[in-house]
Structure formats: C-alpha cells, structure tokens
Amino acid sequence: MYQVLYRKWRPRRFADVVGQPQVTVTLQHELTEGRIAHAYLFTGSRGTGKTTCAKILAKAVNCLNPQEGDPCGECEICRAADDGSLMDIVEIDAASNNGVDNIRSLREEANFTPAAAKYRVYIIDEVHMLSVGAFNALLKTLEEPPPHVIFILATTEVHKLPATILSRCQRFDFRRIPPEDIAQRLHYVAQEEGASIEEDAALLLARLADGALRDALSLLDQCLGRSRTVTEAVVNETAGLAGRDHLYAFAQAVHQQDAASVLELIAHLHEGSKDMARLCEELSSHYRSLMLIKTMKDARNLLAISQEEYARLEKQALSIPLTTVLHCLDTLQDALEKMGRGADRRTEMEMAAIRLCSPELDTGSAAILRRIEALERGAPRRAAAAPPVSEEPQAQESTEETAPVQQDRQAEEPAAQNSSRHAAQPAASTADLAKNAVPLDAWPEILQIMKGYSATISAAFTGSSAYVSGDYVLIDAPREMAFELLRKSSQRGKMRDAIQQVTGRVYKLGPYRRPEAPQEQQEDPLLQLASMAREAGIEVTETKEPELEIQT
Ligand SMILES: Nc1ncnc2c1ncn2[C@@H]1O[C@H](COP(=O)(O)OP(=O)(O)OP(=O)(O)O)[C@@H](O)[C@H]1O
Ligand SMILES: [Mg+2]
Ligand SMILES: [Zn+2]
C-alpha cells in the first residue's frame, strides 16, 4: 500500500527533526539528565513537527535503552509504540473528543498504572478544541497528576488555552522551518526514494510551503508523481504556477503606467484560467521581494530563491521606486481582501490595475507618496525666489537659473498657487559645482550599465564625460539628445541607478556647463502635491535639495 511521503518520513528520533533545535536539543538534554515533566505543551504553526516530537518524546521516556535522550527504536517498547500496539501511549484528537466526559474517563483511566511501559503518556492534539468543562476537568488532573502519567498537549492556537492550563505545562514553541532546512530535507527524502530534486526546485517548494515541512513533503509527493527528477518547471506545473514572467511584465507595465498592457495581461491570464486571487497573491509576493531587495543590503536570506531569480528581481528592483512598490502592495492587499469578501475577482483585479497605473486617481496615502516621489525624481523643484541674506552672492545668481522642464507627467498636475514657503532654500549653483568638479573615472563603466538598459540611451552618451562635485554628478555630452533623455524622469532614474551601482552612492544629476540667462519662475507641482499630502495627514519633510536643472 502506498504511504504518503510525509507519513513515511516522519522522524523517529529527535536527531532527525529539522529546524527546531530549541525544542529537540532541550528535550534531549533534559531526558538524558532524567528530568521529566508531567505536562508539556507544544505550540506553533502547522506541519512543523509538534505531533512528531510528541510521539518521539512518548517513546523516549519509556524506551528501555534510550540513547542520549532519543528512543532506541529497537527495544520491545519502541517497536510496540511504532506499530501502535503499545496501550500506554494514548493519542487523543481533541477536535473530536472535546467534551467533559471524554476527559473524565481519561482521568479515571489515568489512575491505573501503565500496562507495559514506565509511563502512561497522553498526547492530546488540537487541545484548544476542548470545551470549557473539559478544560476544567483536565486542569484537575494537571494539578495533581499521578506520578506515572505524562501529558503532551499540542496546538496551533495557544492563545485559546486558559492561562491556568498554560501555567502548568512546560512550553515549547515550534517555529516555521527555514527554507534552507526544508530544502535539505527534501533532497534527503527524494534521494531515499530513489529520485532527485534540483536545488532551485527544492527552494521553490520550500518557499511555497511557507515553513511547514508537511506541506513541502506533500508537494514533493505530487511532483514525484509527475517526474522522478523534480525541476523548477515540474514544481511550477504541479503547484499550478505558470512561470514568473507575467509578474515581471505586470510590474514593468505598472511602473510605466501602461494601463492598456496591464489590462491585456490580466485578460490573457484570465483566459488561461488563472485565478485572480492567486494572481493577486503572487503579485504581492513579487512586490514584497522587490521591497526587501530595495531596502536591505542583501535580502537573499529572507527570500530563499535561486541566484538567477535573485539577479532578475534585483534588476527590476533597481528600476522601480520604493514608493511605487509600496503603493502596489497596498492596493493589491486591498483587492485581495475584497476578493475574499466575495467581490468579483476579475473586476477587482482590473480596478486595482487601473489604480496602480493612474496614481492620480488614487487618494490613498501610498498613492500620494508615490506621486510625490515621482515629482521629486522627475521635476526640478522651483528655485528659491530670494536667497537668505547671509548667502554668498553667487548663490543668488544660481538660484534663479533653475526652471522646471514641463515635459513629464507633472505637466498634468493642477497648477500651483504661488507659494512662498521655499524662499529659504538656495539651490546649488551649476557654475559653482563645475568649479569644484573632479572627473568621474568610472563613467565608462556606468555607460556600460546604461547600455544594458537601452542601446539608444548609451548611444546618446557617446563621447560624453562626467564629473563629481559634492552630491552631484555633472554630465558633459556633445549630443543634445543626451540631455533630451535626461529630462525624462524615467531615464534619469536609470542613470542614477547605474551611477549608484558603480559608485555605491546616490547622486543628483546636473549638466556640466555654465548656466545661461535666468528664466521665468514656474509653478512647482511638487509643492502643491506636498500640501495635498499634508492635508491628507502625511508628513512631508522639506529638507531635500532641489535637483539641478538639465539646462541646454
Ligand atoms: N521539524 C520537522 N522535521 C522533520 N519532519 C517534519 C518536521 N515537521 C514536520 N515534518 C514532517 O511533516 C509531517 C507532519 O508533521 P507533524 O504532524 O509533526 O506536524 P504538526 O506540527 O503536528 O502539524 P499540525 O499542527 O498540523 O498537527 C511529519 O510526518 C514529517 O514528515
Ligand atoms: Mg499535529
Ligand atoms: Zn527503545
């Protein structure tokens, strides 16, 4: 008869339990020293080894020949326990035996000495399901346990247990098992089964199992039903995941605010019977990865994915601002919640997509922050009307030369009223900056990265050079097209990213040339949006220096 893998490979010794050293090492140690409690409580998320450890513990306290706290597995007690014929280990499923009568009869029975073993062990699984009366009855026994009785209570929902029960048990918390540990166990089991699993596939399974080894083994079981060599593709097919291309495509299109493409993508996936809630979850998980990569130096440990996948994510993470990522996460979680409440899934997904592609339609705080960020990247801040008196004269001259380029999205923003609040902030002067500039030696390397983004862009910068001055990288390019490109916030973002990749620093960008005559002041949509944000209760700091205008 076929036995499912997770049952077949249930560990029989503490040493084989993975990822729970805080439980197994402690128990082994205590058992070796002969310290045995009368009530244990095993809690933690599902499929992480609670029942398994309860069974091992029940054997270990009774084993005739225990080995460093582990049951030997060979003596008559161990063997009887394994084949279920040992009457002194009693497993009770509290979900179906939750009444006070069940516990009363258990108490009665517990008064008798064990038949064959040293201890009578009661494993009460899902103990949180007991009725109030049953808990009270159990409590009486726990208060004065017969010396030959041990209780092992197991539950996923410890918060449902009365404090009086908790305080009488020695508690062990089982944690979600780290993906690497799960992957390793999958390798081991696959190998013992005469099959094999690739590294990427094991990690993907581990990630899908979300810390539960039982789920991972069930999935492995299904995969092995398909193929004796488990690859990432096999896992994808088995778990009903298409590849992940659509996630990248979605994120890219949203970043470009290309609603038509996003809607087409959704329609296409819908035709392929993709469940929209599942899509929403996958996208959330994708954006979470982007978020972690963007905020951590090295998010590899938290993500548990292959090197290639990481590199691919990292590339996308570089091109998408954090505010966009957060806005997407926010919106997708909302949509998922509504889907859960019975809203039409496809419509909900499409609405989310449209909100993401048009943050200006969205009045949520995540959307407003995203718009502010877009403006900060794309639009130069309006120059100060008058510098503070204490500033040097050049500062004044320079502050007047920064005029916004109204080519980007901010052109759609409503016109701002004149504001006087920014008068205290002098902008840096390109002329001043150019004076102190030193050549940026790594420029060719940066252009090389830009080439990876787009051949056209890198062509525009042929023959260019760059200088560093303070917080700025100043670019000198013979072709007008280079500056045309830099006026676009998306291209400027790429350039900044490329510079950051090579230099490790975030620089503002400016042209390496002396500015021409001052131009008229224009309204600063950023200021208006900032005041909108403040009205919406979002804190906006104003310490940021304006980006230099790319003047040609
Ligand atoms: N830490 C672990 N080490 C090795 N195998 C494990 C571990 N956790 C779970 N497994 C595997 O998963 C199966 C189920 O585990 P177990 O019954 O112990 O989980 P549980 O924590 O009791 O879950 P539930 O809360 O759903 O009852 C085991 O038979 C075993 O194959
Ligand atoms: Mg269990
Ligand atoms: Zn034994």
Side-chain angles (χ1 to χ4, degrees), residues 231-453:
T231 60
E232 213 177 345
V234 172
V235 177
N236 276 326
E237 281 165 33
T238 309
L241 313 170
R244 258 168 279 169
D245 289 353
H246 61 290
L247 304 178
Y248 288 94
F250 185 100
Q252 184 59 25
V254 163
H255 174 49
Q256 289 165 344
Q257 307 194 349
D258 180 356
S261 298
V262 178
L263 290 175
E264 266 166 37
L265 183 66
I266 292 173
H268 178 72
L269 291 167
H270 192 259
E271 274 158 32
S273 342
K274 178 93 192 171
D275 175 48
M276 290 293 121
R278 179 81 199 137
L279 173 64
C280 222
E281 277 168 8
E282 284 173 18
L283 283 167
S284 288
S285 153
H286 184 73
Y287 278 112
R288 170 177 175 266
S289 304
L290 296 177
M291 172 179 78
L292 293 179
I293 290 177
K294 289 196 78 72
T295 44
M296 296 175 70
K297 221 178 188 161
D298 187 352
R300 252 168 270 254
N301 288 339
L302 283 186
L303 291 176
I305 46 176
S306 68
Q307 291 290 337
E308 287 149 46
E309 190 68 28
Y310 192 86
R312 192 175 177 198
L313 274 168
E314 208 171 19
K315 198 168 167 212
Q316 182 157 61
L318 272 174
S319 69
I320 302 181
L322 188 58
T323 45
T324 305
V325 173
L326 292 176
H327 181 212
C328 294
L329 272 171
D330 213 45
T331 308
L332 290 166
Q333 307 268 342
D334 260 12
L336 197 57
E337 203 189 302
K338 285 187 191 139
M339 288 178 193
R341 278 190 259 129
D344 180 74
R345 295 183 171 195
R346 182 173 181 181
T347 312
E348 206 48 58
M349 189 69 230
E350 288 170 340
M351 279 164 60
I354 288 173
R355 271 193 211 109
L356 292 179
C357 291
S358 324
E360 67 276 9
L361 294 180
D362 194 338
T363 51
S365 53
I368 293 187
L369 285 175
R370 176 176 168 195
R371 290 159 66 193
I372 291 177
E373 216 270 351
L375 284 165
E376 279 181 346
R377 276 190 173 233
R381 293 273 300 276
R382 187 167 75 157
V389 203
S390 63
E391 283 300 320
E392 295 143 31
Q394 309 97 294
Q396 181 169 13
E397 168 203 324
S398 67
T399 52
E400 283 161 7
E401 52 83 13
T402 58
V405 186
Q406 294 285 4
Q407 288 181 338
D408 274 331
R409 306 175 214 140
Q410 67 271 20
E412 312 158 9
E413 297 294 336
Q417 284 118 29
N418 257 346
S419 162
S420 56
R421 73 114 213 107
H422 50 286
Q425 247 183 42
S429 142
T430 32
D432 271 2
L433 286 169
K435 256 188 256 161
N436 303 320
V438 291
L440 175 58
D441 296 332
W443 187 238
E445 243 178 282
I446 292 164
L447 290 184
Q448 198 56 39
I449 294 180
M450 291 301 287
K451 203 167 175 180
Y453 290 135

